[in-house]
Amino acid sequence: MSDIHANGDVIGAQTGEAGFGDYVALLKPRVMSLVVFTAMVGLLVAPVSVHPFVTFTCVLFIALGGGASGALNMWWDADIDQVMRRTKGRPIPAGRIQRGEALGLGLALSGLSVIMLALAANILAGALLAFTIFFYVVIYSIWLKRSTPQNIVIGGAAGAFPPMIGWVCATGSISVEAVLMFLLIFMWTPPHFWALALFMNSDYEKAGVPMLTVTHGKRVTRNHVLAYTIALVPFALAAGFTSIGGPVYLAVSVLLNAGFLWGAWRIWTRNEITAEADGYATEKAVFKFSLLYLFLHFTAFLVEAALKSYGLGGW
Amino acid sequence: MTIRTEHEIHQRRFGRNLGLGLTLVAFVALVFGLTVVKVTNGDPMRGLMPAHAPAAAPEGQGGNG
């Protein structure tokens, strides 16, 4: 290897020269996929038909707004990300991107996505997207995440807004259907994340994030998983009786809620000795099931909408 | 000793510039597409009409008849 190569390597490491993929990683593409799916469902199940290109544009900019808040979250949480095993490979803790770059990219994309969504759909949709970004970055990341074990409960609202924004893109207003789609994700978030926290405890503890498992212990967290799952059920079922629901949705929802309740019950009946003995198998299974739970609920909304176009579905 | 000017860092920089370039082109195409859809309101022929021209009347109701 020549000196020039050696010097080049040193320079490369010091400047943290990032590739295009690193900037994409700042936008949390995996979280974006959930945003894309739920926003698209919110838009497609609305009773107003939207031109496919406008639909595409709206979903793209809702996703970009989600990505922008992801970049701003990584800017603020760089110190936590450095400590946690799950996040220390992210572009900022890995040294490939500077914190200031993430801040700049996040702010620029936030402005772009809000303005473009307002132009493509309507002002209310743009305003809701702006509020979502503000809520996720300021209320959740900057304020609640490090100060209260209820961080997940309130912060979950940020992830619950996309289907509502999708609905508003099509209809221009907020209705009971949009609110129930919001509540479905909002109420689902706590048991979903607490199931994760039960087997990821050491990471949160190390980073000093006051997750319920860290501040109140796993017994209390198990109680909370069961309580919040019970609280989730009526909202999930209620959506089945609105204009976006129907027999198919209701049947799917009853089965999924029965499964989630059963899982939460099993988590509640276990203790640390039994959980550690099988490597948190139940907690991991319930966490995976909770992902399926949300995905299938929104798929059922889509199925009802598709059936309606053939004169079927709905009540 | 051969001095190679093309270092891995240059490739990464090129990839980043290419990605940004393609993103900008995609954004321009998106704004153009959105403008066409908004102006024509889903009807490609309407975009070709002058802005002051009245919209085509439904069959059987238009004209002087």
PDB file of all heavy atoms in Angstrom, chain A residues 66-81:
ATOM      1  N   GLY A  66     -41.842  11.285   7.981  1.00  0.00           N
ATOM      2  CA  GLY A  66     -41.459  10.302   8.998  1.00  0.00           C
ATOM      3  C   GLY A  66     -39.955  10.110   9.019  1.00  0.00           C
ATOM      4  O   GLY A  66     -39.331  10.039  10.088  1.00  0.00           O
ATOM      5  N   GLY A  67     -39.358  10.049   7.818  1.00  0.00           N
ATOM      6  CA  GLY A  67     -37.905   9.894   7.708  1.00  0.00           C
ATOM      7  C   GLY A  67     -37.173  11.095   8.293  1.00  0.00           C
ATOM      8  O   GLY A  67     -36.149  10.948   8.973  1.00  0.00           O
ATOM      9  N   ALA A  68     -37.715  12.285   8.039  1.00  0.00           N
ATOM     10  CA  ALA A  68     -37.096  13.509   8.564  1.00  0.00           C
ATOM     11  C   ALA A  68     -37.090  13.488  10.094  1.00  0.00           C
ATOM     12  O   ALA A  68     -36.091  13.838  10.724  1.00  0.00           O
ATOM     13  CB  ALA A  68     -37.861  14.732   8.057  1.00  0.00           C
ATOM     14  N   SER A  69     -38.220  13.044  10.681  1.00  0.00           N
ATOM     15  CA  SER A  69     -38.237  12.997  12.148  1.00  0.00           C
ATOM     16  C   SER A  69     -37.285  11.925  12.662  1.00  0.00           C
ATOM     17  O   SER A  69     -36.720  12.063  13.749  1.00  0.00           O
ATOM     18  CB  SER A  69     -39.656  12.805  12.692  1.00  0.00           C
ATOM     19  OG  SER A  69     -40.341  11.842  11.985  1.00  0.00           O
ATOM     20  N   GLY A  70     -37.085  10.859  11.861  1.00  0.00           N
ATOM     21  CA  GLY A  70     -36.093   9.839  12.220  1.00  0.00           C
ATOM     22  C   GLY A  70     -34.692  10.427  12.266  1.00  0.00           C
ATOM     23  O   GLY A  70     -33.910  10.149  13.186  1.00  0.00           O
ATOM     24  N   ALA A  71     -34.365  11.274  11.278  1.00  0.00           N
ATOM     25  CA  ALA A  71     -33.039  11.906  11.227  1.00  0.00           C
ATOM     26  C   ALA A  71     -32.862  12.855  12.415  1.00  0.00           C
ATOM     27  O   ALA A  71     -31.793  12.902  13.034  1.00  0.00           O
ATOM     28  CB  ALA A  71     -32.872  12.667   9.915  1.00  0.00           C
ATOM     29  N   LEU A  72     -33.925  13.598  12.739  1.00  0.00           N
ATOM     30  CA  LEU A  72     -33.845  14.522  13.876  1.00  0.00           C
ATOM     31  C   LEU A  72     -33.726  13.753  15.188  1.00  0.00           C
ATOM     32  O   LEU A  72     -33.025  14.180  16.114  1.00  0.00           O
ATOM     33  CB  LEU A  72     -35.086  15.438  13.896  1.00  0.00           C
ATOM     34  CG  LEU A  72     -35.142  16.452  12.746  1.00  0.00           C
ATOM     35  CD1 LEU A  72     -36.494  17.147  12.697  1.00  0.00           C
ATOM     36  CD2 LEU A  72     -34.027  17.494  12.866  1.00  0.00           C
ATOM     37  N   ASN A  73     -34.402  12.603  15.256  1.00  0.00           N
ATOM     38  CA  ASN A  73     -34.289  11.735  16.438  1.00  0.00           C
ATOM     39  C   ASN A  73     -32.850  11.235  16.593  1.00  0.00           C
ATOM     40  O   ASN A  73     -32.295  11.218  17.689  1.00  0.00           O
ATOM     41  CB  ASN A  73     -35.272  10.570  16.288  1.00  0.00           C
ATOM     42  CG  ASN A  73     -35.078   9.497  17.342  1.00  0.00           C
ATOM     43  OD1 ASN A  73     -34.316   8.565  17.130  1.00  0.00           O
ATOM     44  ND2 ASN A  73     -35.728   9.639  18.480  1.00  0.00           N
ATOM     45  N   MET A  74     -32.216  10.861  15.475  1.00  0.00           N
ATOM     46  CA  MET A  74     -30.828  10.378  15.541  1.00  0.00           C
ATOM     47  C   MET A  74     -29.869  11.495  15.911  1.00  0.00           C
ATOM     48  O   MET A  74     -28.846  11.263  16.558  1.00  0.00           O
ATOM     49  CB  MET A  74     -30.423   9.759  14.209  1.00  0.00           C
ATOM     50  CG  MET A  74     -31.018   8.393  13.986  1.00  0.00           C
ATOM     51  SD  MET A  74     -30.071   7.480  12.770  1.00  0.00           S
ATOM     52  CE  MET A  74     -31.314   6.369  12.153  1.00  0.00           C
ATOM     53  N   TRP A  75     -30.203  12.719  15.480  1.00  0.00           N
ATOM     54  CA  TRP A  75     -29.390  13.883  15.868  1.00  0.00           C
ATOM     55  C   TRP A  75     -29.438  14.059  17.389  1.00  0.00           C
ATOM     56  O   TRP A  75     -28.410  14.206  18.037  1.00  0.00           O
ATOM     57  CB  TRP A  75     -29.926  15.136  15.154  1.00  0.00           C
ATOM     58  CG  TRP A  75     -29.587  16.427  15.856  1.00  0.00           C
ATOM     59  CD1 TRP A  75     -28.363  17.001  15.952  1.00  0.00           C
ATOM     60  CD2 TRP A  75     -30.487  17.268  16.587  1.00  0.00           C
ATOM     61  NE1 TRP A  75     -28.442  18.161  16.697  1.00  0.00           N
ATOM     62  CE2 TRP A  75     -29.727  18.355  17.099  1.00  0.00           C
ATOM     63  CE3 TRP A  75     -31.858  17.234  16.850  1.00  0.00           C
ATOM     64  CZ2 TRP A  75     -30.296  19.374  17.858  1.00  0.00           C
ATOM     65  CZ3 TRP A  75     -32.420  18.252  17.609  1.00  0.00           C
ATOM     66  CH2 TRP A  75     -31.642  19.308  18.104  1.00  0.00           C
ATOM     67  N   TRP A  76     -30.626  13.999  17.956  1.00  0.00           N
ATOM     68  CA  TRP A  76     -30.774  14.256  19.387  1.00  0.00           C
ATOM     69  C   TRP A  76     -30.275  13.091  20.234  1.00  0.00           C
ATOM     70  O   TRP A  76     -29.685  13.290  21.298  1.00  0.00           O
ATOM     71  CB  TRP A  76     -32.252  14.548  19.705  1.00  0.00           C
ATOM     72  CG  TRP A  76     -32.456  14.908  21.146  1.00  0.00           C
ATOM     73  CD1 TRP A  76     -32.949  14.111  22.128  1.00  0.00           C
ATOM     74  CD2 TRP A  76     -32.131  16.152  21.784  1.00  0.00           C
ATOM     75  NE1 TRP A  76     -32.963  14.774  23.326  1.00  0.00           N
ATOM     76  CE2 TRP A  76     -32.460  16.034  23.152  1.00  0.00           C
ATOM     77  CE3 TRP A  76     -31.588  17.358  21.318  1.00  0.00           C
ATOM     78  CZ2 TRP A  76     -32.281  17.068  24.059  1.00  0.00           C
ATOM     79  CZ3 TRP A  76     -31.395  18.388  22.229  1.00  0.00           C
ATOM     80  CH2 TRP A  76     -31.737  18.236  23.584  1.00  0.00           C
ATOM     81  N   ASP A  77     -30.519  11.865  19.761  1.00  0.00           N
ATOM     82  CA  ASP A  77     -30.237  10.672  20.571  1.00  0.00           C
ATOM     83  C   ASP A  77     -28.877  10.043  20.285  1.00  0.00           C
ATOM     84  O   ASP A  77     -28.655   8.888  20.651  1.00  0.00           O
ATOM     85  CB  ASP A  77     -31.337   9.621  20.363  1.00  0.00           C
ATOM     86  CG  ASP A  77     -32.559   9.925  21.208  1.00  0.00           C
ATOM     87  OD1 ASP A  77     -32.452  10.765  22.112  1.00  0.00           O
ATOM     88  OD2 ASP A  77     -33.611   9.319  20.960  1.00  0.00           O
ATOM     89  N   ALA A  78     -27.977  10.790  19.637  1.00  0.00           N
ATOM     90  CA  ALA A  78     -26.684  10.200  19.256  1.00  0.00           C
ATOM     91  C   ALA A  78     -25.948   9.614  20.460  1.00  0.00           C
ATOM     92  O   ALA A  78     -25.302   8.566  20.353  1.00  0.00           O
ATOM     93  CB  ALA A  78     -25.824  11.256  18.567  1.00  0.00           C
ATOM     94  N   ASP A  79     -26.070  10.262  21.620  1.00  0.00           N
ATOM     95  CA  ASP A  79     -25.363   9.766  22.815  1.00  0.00           C
ATOM     96  C   ASP A  79     -25.958   8.439  23.299  1.00  0.00           C
ATOM     97  O   ASP A  79     -25.220   7.535  23.712  1.00  0.00           O
ATOM     98  CB  ASP A  79     -25.405  10.815  23.927  1.00  0.00           C
ATOM     99  CG  ASP A  79     -26.816  11.255  24.289  1.00  0.00           C
ATOM    100  OD1 ASP A  79     -27.698  11.172  23.417  1.00  0.00           O
ATOM    101  OD2 ASP A  79     -27.042  11.665  25.445  1.00  0.00           O
ATOM    102  N   ILE A  80     -27.283   8.320  23.234  1.00  0.00           N
ATOM    103  CA  ILE A  80     -27.930   7.065  23.641  1.00  0.00           C
ATOM    104  C   ILE A  80     -27.583   5.960  22.640  1.00  0.00           C
ATOM    105  O   ILE A  80     -27.267   4.834  23.018  1.00  0.00           O
ATOM    106  CB  ILE A  80     -29.470   7.242  23.703  1.00  0.00           C
ATOM    107  CG1 ILE A  80     -29.865   8.225  24.796  1.00  0.00           C
ATOM    108  CG2 ILE A  80     -30.156   5.905  23.927  1.00  0.00           C
ATOM    109  CD1 ILE A  80     -31.368   8.460  24.893  1.00  0.00           C
ATOM    110  N   ASP A  81     -27.651   6.318  21.347  1.00  0.00           N
ATOM    111  CA  ASP A  81     -27.394   5.330  20.289  1.00  0.00           C
ATOM    112  C   ASP A  81     -25.998   4.721  20.408  1.00  0.00           C
ATOM    113  O   ASP A  81     -25.768   3.580  20.041  1.00  0.00           O
ATOM    114  CB  ASP A  81     -27.561   5.970  18.898  1.00  0.00           C
ATOM    115  CG  ASP A  81     -29.031   6.238  18.581  1.00  0.00           C
ATOM    116  OD1 ASP A  81     -29.895   5.753  19.336  1.00  0.00           O
ATOM    117  OD2 ASP A  81     -29.309   6.927  17.579  1.00  0.00           O
TER     118      ASP A  81
END
